[in-house]
Amino acid sequence: MARVRLSVAERREELLRAAIGQIEARGVAAVRIADVAATLGVSNALVLYHFSTKEKLVAAAFTYAAEDDLAHLRKLLGRRTSALRRLRAAVRWYAPTGQAKGWRLWIEGWAVALREPALREVTRDLDQRWKAAITDVITEGAAAGEFACADPAGTALRLTALLDGLAVQLTSYPGAVPRTRAQDWVDDALARELGLDRKALTER
């Protein structure tokens, strides 16, 4: 069966998705251009045509994953409902007990970013944009009187630190923390930061 001819943009996206899958499965250090090519049944030369080095492919793959995550975050925060419900939905999705995918990918990225400036920029940009989006919705909710928060940016940073730390624990050490307990900690922290009773997080 003849292979469907893809546009340049479609081919790049296909290669990036394959690279993300291979990074999650093998880790950044072990993944090779040949692994990505084999996944799609294409030549190494084709991968190198679009991304001249493994480092550029990896950086582009993380950028693609970051934009995908941020697009979903914007969708959650753009819903027509209260700031509190949008914030809780975003935190629950991002938490390692939620539906966000790719925590193994991002843990790999953080580790490699210590040595790779290009990847460090990608992970830093994602982190800053995530915090900015959360800060904005907290500011909106506080202004509307839905909850009290004197330091939205600080709250966004503390929540992110908790979620990232739990992600490392749950991903690296399966079973170390029961998922239900981790979710309780996330809800407790969110309620505490907003000066609310935990029941208020689920009230309509």
Side-chain angles (χ1 to χ4, degrees), residues 168-188:
V168 172
Q169 289 293 315
L170 270 68
T171 304
S172 302
Y173 312 112
V177 180
R179 293 174 68 85
T180 54
R181 182 176 298 174
Q183 187 59 64
D184 284 342
W185 289 344
V186 171
D187 286 347
D188 285 343

Side-chain angles (χ1 to χ4, degrees), residues 2-204:
R3 185 173 178 81
V4 176
R5 187 176 182 83
L6 302 177
S7 68
V8 171
E10 289 171 332
R11 177 66 74 191
R12 281 179 63 88
E13 184 170 347
E14 182 183 57
L15 291 169
L16 291 173
R17 288 186 179 277
I20 289 169
Q22 288 299 305
I23 291 169
E24 289 181 323
R26 300 170 183 271
V28 174
V31 74
R32 304 171 302 163
I33 291 290
D35 299 321
V36 177
T39 299
L40 299 173
V42 300
S43 67
N44 292 2
L46 179 64
V47 181
L48 291 169
Y49 172 78
H50 289 277
F51 307 96
S52 56
T53 65
K54 171 188 163 178
E55 290 72 25
K56 289 183 179 179
L57 172 62
V58 168
F62 274 96
T63 299
Y64 181 85
E67 291 298 337
D68 193 51
D69 282 353
L70 287 165
H72 189 77
L73 177 64
R74 286 192 293 269
K75 181 178 179 181
L76 290 174
L77 296 182
R79 291 175 175 173
R80 292 175 177 268
T81 186
S82 69
L84 177 59
R85 294 190 72 183
R86 282 179 280 142
L87 177 60
R88 184 171 186 268
V91 169
R92 281 223 156 191
W93 165 73
Y94 183 82
T97 54
Q99 298 302 310
K101 305 300 182 185
W103 273 112
R104 187 174 298 277
L105 174 76
W106 287 111
I107 292 170
E108 278 281 340
W110 293 334
V112 177
L114 294 173
R115 299 178 299 278
E116 295 287 345
L119 191 51
R120 184 160 58 246
E121 287 302 312
V122 172
T123 57
R124 178 186 296 158
D125 182 60
L126 173 63
D127 184 67
Q128 291 175 342
R129 290 163 71 185
W130 157 264
K131 289 190 180 80
I134 295 300
T135 298
D136 286 347
V137 75
I138 293 172
T139 301
E140 179 186 339
E146 294 182 31
F147 44 76
C149 182
D151 181 15
T155 289
L157 192 154
R158 287 187 292 274
L159 287 173
T160 301
L162 172 63
L163 296 172
D164 290 348
L166 285 174
V168 172
Q169 289 293 315
L170 270 68
T171 304
S172 302
Y173 312 112
V177 180
R179 293 174 68 85
T180 54
R181 182 176 298 174
Q183 187 59 64
D184 284 342
W185 289 344
V186 171
D187 286 347
D188 285 343
L190 181 58
R192 185 170 55 251
E193 289 284 353
L194 303 181
L196 298 173
D197 186 276
R198 258 192 64 176
K199 292 180 180 178
L201 297 181
T202 55
E203 289 176 353
R204 294 184 177 276

